[in-house]
């Protein structure tokens, strides 16, 4: 991707759009927005876009009251709950700032650190800056051990595919040049946004920086929403958005994994059919065909989903999905 050259520095006035996805955050939303607005100064103007994701509490009314009091605040609303990633997409679409930041509606992160994250962007050294809760040397709240292990594991797997050396891929704090984030075709509706956006900016070959940030995590009793389901989804998203563009050794390992799963499925199905009294001459071909279908589906879901259309057997250029599967990996760039 051709990089955009922006002639700016820390003293040149710039505008930051802060996207705040919100779902049932009436207890913290107002304080969070106040902390975001506090980072304004003579060279940094703000645009705060609150996207209410069909909250069932008083969050939307609080957001609208804040918008009446502050001209910098814009409120968008989803009629049904779609998820964190969907709310971010809505916010990105409406952003008009030079840079765009992601901010949760709780108090886990300190918005003042967004100014530090802006430095390499304003100095035209970076296109994307990602925060890291594991690089900070200041005090942080001690919470869930297995969450930290899960975050480090997901970051490691992501790095294997993206060839980046991030320490905290799942960190909420990410700041982008507006043309970068608005040029990415994002798909994930929930917390799969994190591995998806990291995969796609890595494939764009833009300049990515990482900065240590402080973190004051909250408990589930305080309103924390991410869970084990999101962890498994994140792992799937790492494969989904990276596998087709991964180094050949990684693709080979994925093929081995898919082939192994299909082979085990083949064996189990054959033994099950044979145990019910169906002759081997019938059980074997049935098991083989079903296992071949499993192999194909896994290949499509993990490796080739970006190339295969489920609605048509031939694309506009007259190429079949089979030809596309055999015809190369594509350029890997985000659409």
């Amino acid at each position: 991707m051709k990089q955009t050259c922006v002639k700016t520095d820390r003293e040149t006035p710039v505008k930051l759009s802060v996207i705040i996805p919100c779902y049932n955050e009436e207890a913290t939303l107002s304080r969070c927005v106040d902390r975001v607005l506090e980072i304004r100064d003579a060279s940094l103007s703000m645009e705060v876009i609150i996207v209410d994701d069909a909250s069932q509490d008083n969050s939307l009314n609080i957001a609208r009251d804040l918008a009446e009091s502050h001209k910098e605040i814009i409120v968008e609303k989803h009629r049904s709950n779609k998820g964190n990633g969907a709310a971010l997409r809505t916010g990105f679409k409406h952003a008009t700032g030079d840079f765009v930041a992601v901010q949760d509606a709780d108090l886990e992160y300190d918005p003042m650190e967004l100014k530090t994250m802006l430095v390499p962007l304003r100095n035209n050294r970076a296109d994307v800056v990602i925060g890291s809760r594991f690089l900070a040397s200041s005090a942080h709240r001690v919470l869930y051990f297995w969450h930290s292990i899960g975050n480090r594991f997901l970051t490691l797997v992501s790095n294997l595919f993206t060839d980046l050396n991030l320490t905290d891929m799942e960190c909420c704090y990410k700041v982008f040049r507006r043309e970068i984030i608005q040029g990415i075709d994002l798909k994930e509706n929930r917390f799969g946004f994190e591995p998806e956006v990291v995969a796609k900016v890595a494939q764009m070959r833009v300049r990515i920086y990482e900065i240590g940030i402080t973190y004051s995590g909250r408990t589930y009793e305080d309103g924390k929403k991410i869970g084990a389901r999101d962890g498994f989804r994140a792992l799937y998203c790492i494969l989904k958005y990276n596998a087709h563009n991964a180094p050949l050794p990684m693709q080979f390992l994925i093929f081995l994994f898919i082939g192994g799963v299909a082979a085990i499925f083949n064996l189990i199905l054959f033994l099950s059919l044979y145990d019910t009294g169906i002759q081997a001459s019938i059980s074997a071909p049935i098991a083989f065909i079903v296992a071949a279908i499993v192999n194909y589906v896994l290949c499509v879901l993990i490796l080739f989903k970006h190339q295969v259309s489920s609605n048509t057997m031939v694309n506009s250029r007259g190429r079949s999905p089979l030809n596309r599967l055999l015809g190369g990996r594509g350029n890997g760039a985000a659409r």
Side-chain angles (χ1 to χ4, degrees):
M1 173 180 175
K2 183 178 179 181
Q3 296 178 358
T4 302
C5 182
V6 180
K7 294 182 179 179
T8 185
D9 54 41
R10 296 183 65 177
E11 303 304 320
T12 303
V14 295
K15 180 179 179 181
L16 175 65
S17 296
V18 179
I19 314 302
I20 306 180
C22 177
Y23 178 66
N24 293 344
E25 299 286 3
E26 64 179 4
T28 57
L29 179 60
S30 180
R31 178 59 182 142
C32 173
V33 172
D34 287 343
R35 292 173 66 183
V36 169
L37 292 176
E38 286 174 359
I39 75 174
R40 291 173 296 179
D41 58 33
S43 66
L44 180 63
S45 61
M46 302 290 298
E47 174 183 65
V48 180
I49 303 177
I50 304 172
V51 183
D52 184 81
D53 195 28
S55 294
Q56 298 174 347
D57 62 4
N58 200 40
S59 295
L60 179 59
N61 291 330
I62 293 174
R64 286 172 172 168
D65 288 343
L66 290 168
E68 289 183 1
S69 304
H70 302 279
K71 61 180 175 38
E72 300 92 342
I73 298 177
I74 300 169
V75 178
E76 299 292 336
K77 179 183 182 300
H78 288 172
R79 293 188 175 183
S80 60
N81 182 256
K82 298 179 180 180
N84 184 74
L88 287 173
R89 284 202 307 273
T90 297
F92 294 150
K93 181 174 64 175
H94 291 89
T96 62
D98 301 289
F99 309 109
V100 181
V102 176
Q103 168 73 52
D104 283 346
D106 51 50
L107 305 177
E108 291 186 324
Y109 296 87
D110 181 4
M112 195 61 66
E113 293 182 322
L114 291 175
K115 299 182 77 168
T116 303
M117 296 180 69
L118 280 171
V119 172
L121 290 160
R122 298 180 70 164
N123 291 340
N124 196 30
R125 292 187 290 122
D127 300 301
V128 178
V129 177
I130 299 175
S132 173
R133 295 163 291 183
F134 302 123
L135 289 180
S137 59
S138 56
H140 64 276
R141 184 176 181 182
V142 176
L143 275 176
Y144 303 112
F145 169 76
W146 290 110
H147 274 216
S148 66
I149 293 297
N151 284 337
R152 292 177 188 273
F153 172 73
L154 291 172
T155 298
L156 172 63
V157 177
S158 175
N159 287 345
L160 287 172
F161 285 96
T162 61
D163 196 26
L164 300 177
N165 60 342
L166 295 175
T167 62
D168 192 7
M169 175 271 296
E170 289 281 357
C171 182
C172 162
Y173 263 5
K174 295 178 174 68
V175 187
F176 311 85
R177 295 193 185 278
R178 179 168 55 85
E179 62 270 21
I180 296 292
I181 192 61
Q182 289 184 341
I184 300 175
D185 182 18
L186 295 166
K187 302 292 186 183
E188 291 300 307
N189 286 334
R190 285 180 55 84
F191 295 102
F193 162 80
E194 310 293 351
E196 179 189 9
V197 76
V198 169
K200 291 182 175 179
V201 296
Q203 291 161 20
M204 295 169 77
R205 299 291 184 254
V206 295
R207 298 167 298 175
I208 303 172
Y209 273 60
E210 188 177 48
I211 293 178
I213 61 167
T214 57
Y215 178 66
S216 179
R218 59 178 177 171
T219 65
Y220 286 103
E221 290 75 16
D222 294 329
K224 193 175 186 68
K225 298 178 178 67
I226 193 167
R229 168 192 171 188
D230 298 298
F232 286 111
R233 179 67 188 184
L235 185 59
Y236 169 70
C237 288
I238 291 171
L239 294 174
K240 175 181 177 181
Y241 296 110
N242 285 290
H244 67 279
N245 202 57
L248 287 178
M250 292 301 299
Q251 288 206 359
F252 178 70
L253 291 177
I254 295 171
F255 273 116
L256 285 180
F257 169 76
I258 292 174
V261 170
I264 293 172
F265 189 87
N266 187 358
L267 179 61
I268 293 175
L269 182 58
F270 168 74
L271 293 176
S272 299
L273 293 173
Y274 187 72
D275 190 55
T276 61
I278 300 176
Q279 295 180 357
S281 60
I282 297 177
S283 299
I286 292 177
F288 176 81
I289 292 172
V290 175
I293 294 173
V294 169
N295 187 294
Y296 174 78
V297 170
L298 289 176
C299 283
V300 169
L301 290 177
I302 296 176
L303 286 174
F304 303 120
K305 188 169 184 176
H306 69 297
Q307 292 178 320
V308 177
S309 170
S310 60
N311 297 321
T312 179
M313 290 302 294
V314 179
N315 68 6
S316 60
R317 296 181 182 178
R319 298 181 67 197
S320 69
L322 178 60
N323 286 336
R324 280 182 285 158
L325 289 177
L326 299 176
R329 293 165 55 190
N331 60 18
R335 292 173 294 174

